[in-house]
Amino acid sequence: MIDRLTLFADVILPVPIHRSFTYRIPFELNNDIQVGCRVIVPFGKSKMQTAIVLNIHQNIPLTYQSKYIEAILDHTPIVTDKQLQFWHWISRYYMSPIGDVMNAALPSHLKLASETKFEIHPDFDEKNSQLDDREAEIVDYLEHKEVCDLKEITDLLALKTIQPIIKKLIEKRVLISREEIKRRYSPKTVLCYKLVPQFQIEHNLNVFIEELELSKKNSKQVDAIMAFLKHKLDNEEYLPIQKSYLVSKEVSSSALITLEKKGVIEAERYQIDRINNEKKQSNSFKALSNPQTKALTELNESMESNNVTLLHGVTGSGKTEIYVQIIQDHLDQGHQVLFLLPEIALTTQLIQRLSAYFGEKIGVYHSKFNQNERVEIWNKVLTNDPNEFRIILGARSSIFLPYQSLGLIIVDEEHEGSFKQYDPSPRYNARDASIVLAHMHQAKVILGTATPSMESYYNAKQGKFGLVELNERYKGLKLPEVMFSDLKRERRLKNMNSHFSNFLLEEMDQVLKKGEQVILFQNRRGYTPLWSCEICNWTPKCNNCDVSLTYHKHANHLKCHYCGFTANPVGSCPSCGSTRLNMIGFGTEKIEDELSLIFQDKIIKRLDLDTTRAKNAYEEILNDFDNGFIDILIGTQMVTKGLDFDNVYLVGILDADMLLNRPDFRAYERSYQLMSQVSGRAGRLGKQGRVIIQTGDPDHWVIQLVAEHNYQKFYENEIIERKNFNYPPFYKVISLMVKHKNINLVELASKELATNLKEIFKERVIGPEFPIIQKIKNYYLKEIKLKIERTAPEKKVKEKLNERLELFYQQVEFKSVKVVIDVDPL
């Protein structure tokens, strides 16, 4: 009998440790426990943790005494076998603790907190119990409160030590003590009203209305009753009506309360979904152009022979309409579809476009949803309803949802760095991880972009991925005309108005006079990135990081964009006392401020991290721009990512040199991608757009290729450099960042670790070196990089690396040093 077997469970705990833990399963739980369920286990001296069951077996742990599982939280698994397999791959490949993967994957409200609670024992007989005054006071309190914790009883009795009293009450079977698990997920409810059955009878209701009409004071109650009658006519029966709906129809809240007191209506709370699924399916598929039809045919053929296909289509070529056709094919086969997006901003437009085709089959999952909403989406995906949530639109975290029948993953704008998780661990790349996830589900992957990453295009050229190219815009529309504003020449001729060339301002003026819109791109937020004293060159620095503070005019403070530290602006230099402080450089906030003086009658808005912190801020700004309520939209790289606006005919890139001159081997690739993508926002409906790039070096080869819209030539040039200097896609890079608050210890530890690594990896080890920013959040940093050939056995490389890290941590003086591992850093 299984219920008498001595069973053990290996579980994953949400702690940063690279292993599972084994617990004893109580006999009474033997028949209930399942792999993938949540269980409550003791961890440490007094804590209770939520764990996921990984394995059930009869093997007794040899190195420690296993504790008992306290409780099972789920009747059925909430994590699938494929998810557990995927979590382990993420952990191994990105060298991340499995507990960190669990933390990243599960919504917070599926991980529970513990707290000791007391309540009256169900067998307590007050008549036959002998209680002293203090014991009786506790019981009296609990009869009204039902449940309380230890602190509440302490405060009630005003005693420091109450444990003996509690112990006696438990022994007398007056109280029951239990480790109550607080279920932090609570379903969303709304207050509804409905007519009681007696007044749903027409005669009774008419009599009541006649009585009300005898007094003018009851007019609001009559209006409320009429709202119920109208709702009945619309729905052919009496249904509960949300209070918010009644109030929106100008029904008085006081009238509702009065009617409830009179027994005419009754209030009741109903559970509703937090996810708004009011999406109407109405439009038929759009007719594809000849180039789109050709690309769709090639894509279908490629997917038959390739698990991954790269769809390289120029901006405005209509890739989304091709996706729609492919998605429908997979829905017809009963598959779930994951549509990965790099930025939350993109979900707003894409939802509107796809909802017309797929209605309630669409679900959305990203970080702006609160934890209750995330739990509801998780449960809907897990139940695998054939009519709901078949398509998930989501940012990178959506790869962790519990898919049951995943058939297709589309990674839109696959080149985007936003697919990479930087902090905290696991530092995964959702694009790369989605390919592994698809393989586990035997699903297909489409990588779509106008500017492929070097790795993806290389894989396609080598035949590892399929490749489909779409080189024409929809309906034959021309790609935008790209022009240059030579900043060196403009400054010499004194043709600059602050940070804008006269050429750019004149073009903006002409476009705005025609009622058309403008996008300006500056990949730096805030007002000005640097203050500097003319006399001594002092600049305000962050107290915690080795960076200068950025001035934000709207908030009137200096802010660090790494740790969030803020300081008040200064009127004079604290170093030399001079009041000659210059503002150097410019961010999106300063552009907005200065343009408001130049174009005083135009509506100007920003799209950056500062203006989109609120849950619906993206949607509101983009909808306003799409509806023509904004004339000029200024943005960071958020405006480069696949947004589609019909009335934009001019794009200005204000500082191309800042992009090109970054000390990073990917600088040219990112510069080409950002400039090409933001250029692609211009002229998407019936008219060729125009792009003006402000640069001090208009002859730079990258800028020239942006103007020619020649990705192929860019790839050919850049791939040679990558090969010559041993960078991806020819080599894999693993970064090890050594961190500590003591700079001397960081120096010593990084040298020791690099020396140990060079014994194994030889010349593949680079560093240790200080990164550009040497201190962040009071931690000094030194970086070591491993460049490993693609042909090297990955498993063996990481085993050797882990061995060296274990040896490093065995040295007592380095116990407090932290080494952050980032596999495939961007």
Side-chain angles (χ1 to χ4, degrees):
M1 291 286 289
I2 191 171
D3 57 353
R4 300 311 301 168
L5 288 177
T6 301
L7 297 179
F8 296 87
D10 298 330
V11 303
I12 303 172
L13 285 161
V15 292
I17 298 176
H18 286 269
R19 57 183 284 269
S20 58
F21 294 82
T22 303
Y23 285 83
R24 171 79 183 272
I25 303 172
F27 289 135
E28 63 270 22
L29 299 182
N30 276 4
N31 292 317
D32 299 321
I33 197 163
Q34 299 179 62
V35 171
C37 286
R38 291 174 300 162
V39 292
I40 301 300
V41 296
F43 188 73
K45 290 184 179 180
S46 58
K47 286 185 178 179
M48 289 288 182
Q49 287 276 15
T50 305
I52 296 291
V53 178
L54 180 63
N55 187 28
I56 299 170
H57 56 81
Q58 294 179 262
N59 304 320
I60 301 172
L62 301 177
T63 56
Y64 59 91
Q65 179 72 37
S66 62
K67 297 178 182 179
Y68 277 89
I69 288 172
E70 294 288 329
I72 301 174
L73 292 177
D74 307 301
H75 297 297
T76 58
I78 66 157
V79 177
T80 68
D81 290 341
K82 283 190 173 69
Q83 277 182 291
L84 292 172
Q85 183 185 350
F86 185 54
W87 290 8
H88 278 291
W89 179 84
I90 293 272
S91 175
R92 287 193 305 271
Y93 184 83
Y94 292 103
M95 303 184 72
S96 170
I98 188 68
D100 285 351
V101 181
M102 174 184 169
N103 263 327
L106 281 183
S108 293
H109 284 11
L110 290 179
K111 295 167 284 189
L112 309 173
S114 66
E115 186 177 3
T116 304
K117 295 283 186 178
F118 300 96
E119 59 187 35
I120 294 176
H121 197 289
D123 297 333
F124 170 58
D125 184 356
E126 190 173 3
K127 291 178 182 179
N128 298 319
S129 298
Q130 295 181 346
L131 304 176
D132 63 29
D133 291 344
R134 285 174 175 168
E135 292 171 344
E137 191 175 353
I138 294 172
V139 170
D140 184 57
Y141 181 76
L142 273 169
E143 283 180 341
H144 292 90
K145 189 74 186 298
E146 292 186 359
V147 177
C148 70
D149 59 27
L150 205 62
K151 184 180 183 303
E152 288 177 271
I153 298 174
T154 303
D155 294 341
L156 175 71
L157 300 182
L159 290 175
K160 267 191 174 181
T161 308
I162 63 165
Q163 282 84 354
I165 300 172
I166 297 296
K167 183 174 180 289
K168 283 182 182 179
L169 287 172
I170 291 172
E171 290 171 351
K172 291 178 179 179
R173 296 175 67 81
V174 175
L175 293 189
I176 183 169
S177 150
R178 60 192 172 94
E179 195 70 11
E180 179 182 81
I181 304 304
K182 293 171 66 178
R183 294 182 178 270
R184 290 187 289 185
Y185 167 66
S186 55
K188 184 175 181 179
T189 61
V190 292
L191 182 63
C192 296
Y193 286 101
K194 64 180 180 180
L195 287 170
V196 299
Q198 175 189 348
F199 286 98
Q200 290 182 17
I201 300 170
E202 187 175 346
H203 172 73
N204 294 342
L205 190 60
N206 287 336
V207 171
F208 181 72
I209 292 172
E210 288 172 3
E211 290 175 358
L212 289 176
E213 288 176 338
L214 293 175
S215 172
K216 291 182 179 179
K217 294 180 180 179
N218 296 329
S219 60
K220 290 184 178 180
Q221 295 177 45
V222 174
D223 292 341
I225 295 294
M226 298 310 293
F228 280 93
L229 287 172
K230 185 178 184 307
H231 193 260
K232 188 252 184 181
L233 290 173
D234 292 341
N235 295 276
E236 299 182 354
E237 60 179 316
Y238 286 111
L239 296 173
I241 310 173
Q242 287 189 31
K243 180 183 177 182
S244 58
Y245 174 82
L246 290 167
V247 171
S248 72
K249 297 299 181 183
E250 300 184 354
V251 174
S252 165
S253 294
S254 61
L256 293 171
I257 293 170
T258 302
L259 289 171
E260 185 181 5
K261 287 179 179 178
K262 290 181 176 180
V264 178
I265 63 174
E266 58 185 355
E268 193 170 341
R269 286 201 164 269
Y270 288 85
Q271 182 178 335
I272 64 166
D273 288 343
R274 286 183 166 82
I275 315 308
N276 182 10
N277 258 346
E278 295 176 6
K279 308 182 184 86
K280 305 274 174 132
Q281 185 173 343
S282 57
N283 293 4
S284 56
F285 292 161
K286 288 183 181 178
L288 300 183
S289 65
N290 289 335
Q292 284 177 310
T293 302
K294 182 173 179 289
L296 177 60
T297 302
E298 292 177 358
L299 193 54
N300 281 321
E301 291 172 354
S302 175
M303 290 169 70
E304 288 180 8
S305 54
N306 297 287
N307 292 325
V308 183
T309 299
L310 175 63
L311 176 58
H312 177 206
V314 297
T315 56
S317 57
K319 293 186 288 294
T320 302
E321 300 304 327
I322 295 174
Y323 296 151
V324 165
Q325 302 274 357
I326 301 284
I327 289 170
Q328 186 60 59
D329 290 344
H330 281 271
L331 292 180
D332 292 342
Q333 297 173 50
H335 293 159
Q336 291 171 311
V337 176
L338 171 59
F339 200 127
L340 273 176
L341 296 160
E343 196 71 61
I344 297 166
L346 294 185
T347 61
T348 301
Q349 280 202 331
L350 204 60
I351 290 167
Q352 293 170 352
R353 294 170 69 180
L354 295 187
S355 293
Y357 301 117
F358 303 113
E360 293 184 357
K361 290 185 173 68
I362 297 173
V364 184
Y365 191 79
H366 55 61
S367 61
K368 291 290 184 183
F369 280 161
N370 65 44
Q371 293 300 326
N372 283 326
E373 290 170 327
R374 289 188 179 202
V375 170
E376 288 183 6
I377 296 167
W378 183 283
N379 290 334
K380 285 179 181 293
V381 174
L382 183 64
T383 56
N384 201 23
D385 189 313
N387 299 311
E388 199 174 22
F389 277 58
R390 306 306 294 166
I391 306 164
I392 295 295
L393 295 179
R396 59 177 178 260
S397 58
S398 56
I399 63 172
F400 291 115
L401 287 169
Y403 301 102
Q404 301 287 318
S405 55
L406 188 63
L408 174 67
I409 301 177
I410 296 171
V411 185
D412 199 25
E413 310 297 340
E414 66 84 25
H415 64 278
E416 270 292 340
S418 304
F419 285 122
K420 173 72 174 179
Q421 164 78 11
Y422 293 100
D423 236 6
S425 167
R427 295 170 178 84
Y428 65 97
N429 188 314
R431 177 199 63 200
D432 300 341
S434 69
I435 293 173
V436 176
L437 178 66
H439 178 73
M440 291 176 178
H441 285 266
Q442 297 183 317
K444 300 293 183 179
V445 178
I446 299 173
L447 307 177
T449 180
T451 53
S453 63
M454 296 296 291
E455 289 89 339
S456 293
Y457 204 69
Y458 177 80
N459 284 332
K461 286 292 188 181
Q462 295 298 306
K464 186 176 179 180
F465 298 167
L467 176 62
V468 175
E469 308 218 54
L470 183 56
N471 296 319
E472 291 183 35
R473 275 190 155 187
Y474 185 62
K475 294 185 177 178
L477 190 66
K478 289 183 179 179
L479 287 162
E481 177 187 10
V482 180
M483 307 176 75
F484 306 113
S485 183
D486 186 340
L487 292 182
K488 289 180 181 177
R489 180 177 178 276
E490 295 288 298
R491 289 183 180 122
R492 188 172 65 249
L493 297 174
K494 297 183 178 180
N495 284 339
M496 296 294 292
N497 185 339
S498 184
H499 304 290
F500 315 102
S501 66
N502 283 348
F503 177 45
L504 175 60
L505 291 177
E506 287 168 4
E507 288 292 322
M508 289 176 65
D509 188 50
Q510 290 180 25
V511 166
L512 293 170
K513 283 178 178 176
K514 295 175 185 175
E516 297 162 353
Q517 293 168 300
V518 176
I519 289 178
L520 296 180
F521 170 59
Q522 170 67 356
N523 205 26
R524 179 175 277 155
R525 62 190 172 97
Y527 192 81
T528 183
L530 190 67
W531 278 17
S532 179
C533 173
E534 273 188 27
I535 305 303
C536 68
N537 291 324
W538 170 87
T539 59
K541 292 287 185 74
C542 175
N543 289 356
N544 309 316
C545 308
D546 185 26
V547 294
S548 58
L549 297 174
T550 299
Y551 178 58
H552 289 251
K553 185 178 180 182
H554 180 71
N556 192 32
H557 62 212
L558 296 161
K559 184 174 183 179
C560 174
H561 288 173
Y562 286 85
C563 72
F565 170 81
T566 59
N568 293 323
V570 294
S572 60
C573 174
S575 179
C576 70
S578 169
T579 57
R580 295 167 66 180
L581 298 175
N582 288 335
M583 291 185 178
I584 301 172
F586 60 101
T588 51
E589 190 180 11
K590 189 175 185 183
I591 297 166
E592 180 185 30
D593 192 45
E594 294 184 344
L595 281 179
S596 65
L597 299 175
I598 300 170
F599 299 103
Q600 295 182 15
D601 60 335
K602 301 301 178 186
I603 306 298
I604 304 167
K605 294 286 185 182
R606 282 183 290 134
L607 185 72
D608 59 25
L609 186 62
D610 296 321
T611 61
T612 56
R613 294 187 188 277
K615 180 175 178 179
N616 297 315
Y618 284 105
E619 187 174 350
E620 290 169 6
I621 294 172
L622 294 178
N623 281 342
D624 284 350
F625 192 61
D626 201 19
N627 292 323
F629 302 141
I630 299 171
D631 300 300
I632 304 170
L633 184 64
I634 305 156
T636 56
Q637 58 183 304
M638 289 181 183
V639 300
T640 71
K641 300 178 180 181
L643 299 172
D644 190 359
F645 302 110
D646 292 342
N647 199 38
V648 175
Y649 287 101
L650 178 65
V651 167
I653 298 173
L654 300 180
D655 191 358
D657 303 327
M658 180 188 73
L659 301 172
L660 291 164
N661 294 326
R662 293 168 53 208
D664 177 9
F665 79 92
R666 295 187 190 274
Y668 285 175
E669 178 185 7
R670 286 177 177 156
S671 298
Y672 182 91
Q673 289 166 345
L674 284 169
M675 286 190 279
S676 292
Q677 288 286 341
V678 75
S679 297
R681 302 316 109 207
R684 295 173 76 95
L685 183 66
K687 178 180 174 182
Q688 184 182 22
R690 178 170 289 186
V691 179
I692 296 175
I693 301 177
Q694 292 193 159
T695 173
D697 187 9
D699 294 324
H700 195 289
W701 70 272
V702 174
I703 292 177
Q704 287 294 321
L705 292 178
V706 170
E708 295 172 14
H709 307 288
N710 193 343
Y711 175 82
Q712 183 65 42
K713 183 67 174 175
F714 170 80
Y715 169 80
E716 290 169 0
N717 288 349
E718 184 69 3
I719 202 71
I720 294 169
E721 295 292 306
R722 297 287 183 90
K723 188 171 185 179
N724 288 342
F725 292 98
N726 297 340
Y727 278 113
F730 301 99
Y731 277 66
K732 292 183 70 68
V733 176
I734 300 175
S735 166
L736 295 96
M737 192 69 75
V738 182
K739 301 173 62 174
H740 199 274
K741 292 185 177 181
N742 184 322
I743 189 171
N744 295 322
L745 189 55
V746 168
E747 291 269 18
L748 185 65
S750 59
K751 284 180 183 176
E752 177 69 20
L753 180 57
T755 301
N756 289 343
L757 292 173
K758 284 174 182 175
E759 292 177 4
I760 298 291
F761 298 105
K762 310 299 182 188
E763 71 283 352
R764 299 175 183 86
V765 180
I766 300 170
E769 296 289 345
F770 282 114
I772 299 168
I773 300 171
Q774 298 181 15
K775 185 177 78 166
I776 295 178
K777 297 181 181 178
N778 285 320
Y779 281 89
Y780 291 94
L781 312 173
K782 269 214 155 175
E783 187 176 24
I784 301 167
K785 283 188 177 179
L786 295 184
K787 284 185 179 179
I788 307 295
E789 300 89 337
R790 284 275 173 182
T791 53
E794 178 201 315
K795 185 178 179 182
K796 187 175 180 181
V797 166
K798 289 173 181 172
E799 283 177 355
K800 293 293 182 184
L801 178 54
N802 277 323
E803 286 174 10
R804 290 289 149 167
L805 285 169
E806 286 179 16
L807 288 173
F808 171 77
Y809 277 121
Q810 284 172 11
Q811 300 176 69
V812 177
E813 64 268 36
F814 300 139
K815 287 285 185 182
S816 61
V817 175
K818 187 175 182 181
V819 180
V820 175
I821 304 172
D822 190 359
V823 178
D824 300 337
L826 291 181

